[in-house]
Amino acid sequence: MERLRSGIGWWAVLTCAVMLMMPPEVSAVRYIVGANMGWTSNVNYTIWAQDKHFYLGDWLFFVYDRNQMNVLEVNSTDYDNCISDHPLHNWTTGAGREVVPLNVTKTRYFISGKGFCFGGVKVAIRVEKPPAPPTYSPLKSHSPGLLNSFRGQIFVFAVAAVWDSFLLLL
């Protein structure tokens, strides 16, 4: 039993050390197009999209009445003129819940055919590269010592964890 606790202690130390050394990541976001209104008429999708940043790896989630609407990706001209005859991609599967991955940096244009585009059921999404992770400036210290560096702090943490594991064995 004591060896089990000792092994768990070492794994905990190793896991913490690895997590401290990993850079922060930006996680993908799933946007429900139109928020609580979904993909329907009487929603201004330009206003809905204007304060959002869409990054590579994010997802658009279209929720709509499958008996009336559809989700078509078109070019800029077809978007401006609500032409749905030759979409770049028809995302409609018939379920009324479509997930579109944002995997290319460009402006993407989505409309609903069947005349709903003329009523405003269309949205332009500008997909950007994710922002660079924040850079950390080194800590300034008047006395260079082991405890003032990041590695020194990890070292002290590791020593404390080993000491704690040693005390558990006694």
Side-chain angles (χ1 to χ4, degrees):
M1 184 68 167
E2 294 299 324
R3 286 183 183 250
L4 179 63
R5 285 185 189 166
S6 165
I8 292 172
W10 280 104
W11 278 109
V13 169
L14 181 62
T15 302
C16 288
V18 168
M19 289 180 71
L20 286 172
M21 290 185 216
M22 289 174 45
E25 292 185 20
V26 177
S27 61
V29 176
R30 184 191 74 174
Y31 292 96
I32 298 175
V33 178
N36 61 345
M37 295 296 292
W39 187 239
T40 187
S41 51
N42 299 322
V43 175
N44 188 327
Y45 293 99
T46 302
I47 291 174
W48 172 81
Q50 75 183 3
D51 64 340
K52 294 171 181 55
H53 289 278
F54 300 96
Y55 297 116
L56 278 175
D58 288 348
W59 300 82
L60 296 179
F61 188 45
F62 291 86
V63 180
Y64 59 95
D65 180 351
R66 66 183 180 174
N67 296 316
Q68 294 185 358
M69 304 284 183
N70 57 11
V71 179
L72 306 173
E73 186 169 359
V74 296
N75 62 32
S76 174
T77 303
D78 290 351
Y79 174 83
D80 291 337
N81 298 301
C82 289
I83 299 171
S84 61
D85 297 339
H86 305 289
L88 300 173
H89 195 284
N90 183 348
W91 290 97
T92 309
T93 62
R97 297 181 178 336
E98 314 307 338
V99 178
V100 177
L102 300 179
N103 51 11
V104 179
T105 55
K106 67 177 187 176
T107 300
R108 297 179 67 178
Y109 302 94
F110 299 93
I111 66 172
S112 182
K114 304 178 184 180
F116 288 101
C117 177
F118 293 106
V121 185
K122 62 182 189 174
V123 65
I125 303 292
R126 196 181 97 202
V127 183
E128 307 171 281
K129 290 182 180 178
T135 57
Y136 299 101
S137 59
L139 295 174
K140 295 183 179 179
S141 173
H142 298 295
S143 59
L146 183 61
L147 294 178
N148 292 328
S149 71
F150 181 68
R151 288 187 180 163
Q153 291 173 357
I154 290 177
F155 175 75
V156 170
F157 176 76
V159 169
V162 169
W163 180 254
D164 188 46
S165 296
F166 175 73
L167 291 177
L168 287 174
L169 289 174
L170 296 178

